[in-house]
């Protein structure tokens, strides 16, 4: 089962140990695959600053992805509550510079207007 969480452009906040970056993304999708929920998106920097920030994904350890788009958060919550999602494990797959990075996810406590996805690198 595949569910589009947000069509078009959106953004996320990427938190590392000592720095954080806002980053443009596209194609935010949730998919149920063999008992796992996979949240996927493509990193799409919107300017030269974000293109430089994208380098952190390749050099630093990502700790958290924060969704701040209310529409996307609501769609994700609905998807996770659906019986067809049936996922026990949640994975994020993000594509950056032609490379897919995969992370195991624990959903953190929602803050005011954001949903933290605490991540651990898989590969």
């Amino acid at each position: 089962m595949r569910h589009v969480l947000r069509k078009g452009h959106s953004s996320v906040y990427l938190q590392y140990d000592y720095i954080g970056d806002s980053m443009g993304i596209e194609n935010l999708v949730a998919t149920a695959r063999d008992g796992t929920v996979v949240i996927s998106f493509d990193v799409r920097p919107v300017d030269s600053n974000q293109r430089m920030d994208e380098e952190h994904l390749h050099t630093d350890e990502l700790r958290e992805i924060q969704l701040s788009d209310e529409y996307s958060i609501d769609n994700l919550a609905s998807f996770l509550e659906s019986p067809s999602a049936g996922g026990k494990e949640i994975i994020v797959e993000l594509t950056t510079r032609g490379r897919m990075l995969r992370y195991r996810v624990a959903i953190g406590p929602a803050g005011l207007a954001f949903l933290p996805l605490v991540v651990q690198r898989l590969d």
Side-chain angles (χ1 to χ4, degrees):
M1 177 179 155
R2 182 176 188 271
H3 185 74
V4 176
L5 302 177
R6 173 59 112 181
K7 290 183 180 179
H9 191 78
S10 187
S11 65
V12 294
Y13 186 79
L14 304 173
Q15 182 64 54
Y16 306 92
D17 282 332
Y18 302 106
I19 194 166
D21 302 312
S22 289
M23 184 64 60
I25 64 167
E26 289 182 347
N27 305 320
L28 183 58
V29 174
T31 308
R33 292 186 205 155
D34 302 322
T36 300
V37 171
V38 178
I39 301 167
S40 61
F41 59 86
D42 300 325
V43 174
R44 293 284 188 260
V46 296
D47 57 25
S48 60
N49 184 47
Q50 285 191 5
R51 281 189 285 284
M52 288 179 10
D53 292 344
E54 185 178 14
E55 183 63 27
H56 293 136
L57 281 168
H58 301 272
T59 60
D60 297 339
E61 189 168 345
L62 183 63
R63 298 290 184 190
E64 189 172 285
I65 299 168
Q66 294 180 2
L67 300 177
S68 58
D69 176 68
E70 187 176 339
Y71 182 80
S72 300
I73 293 169
D74 290 346
N75 278 335
L76 178 59
S78 294
F79 181 81
L80 293 174
E81 291 170 0
S82 71
S84 55
K88 294 181 177 142
E89 180 178 40
I90 302 174
I91 302 290
V92 166
E93 295 178 346
L94 63 91
T95 303
T96 168
R97 296 182 180 169
R99 181 176 174 205
M100 181 187 291
L101 304 177
R102 300 182 74 234
Y103 300 89
R104 180 172 289 116
V105 172
I107 296 179
L112 188 58
F114 74 92
L115 178 67
L117 305 175
V118 181
V119 298
Q120 179 184 13
R121 183 87 182 258
L122 289 175
D123 8 89

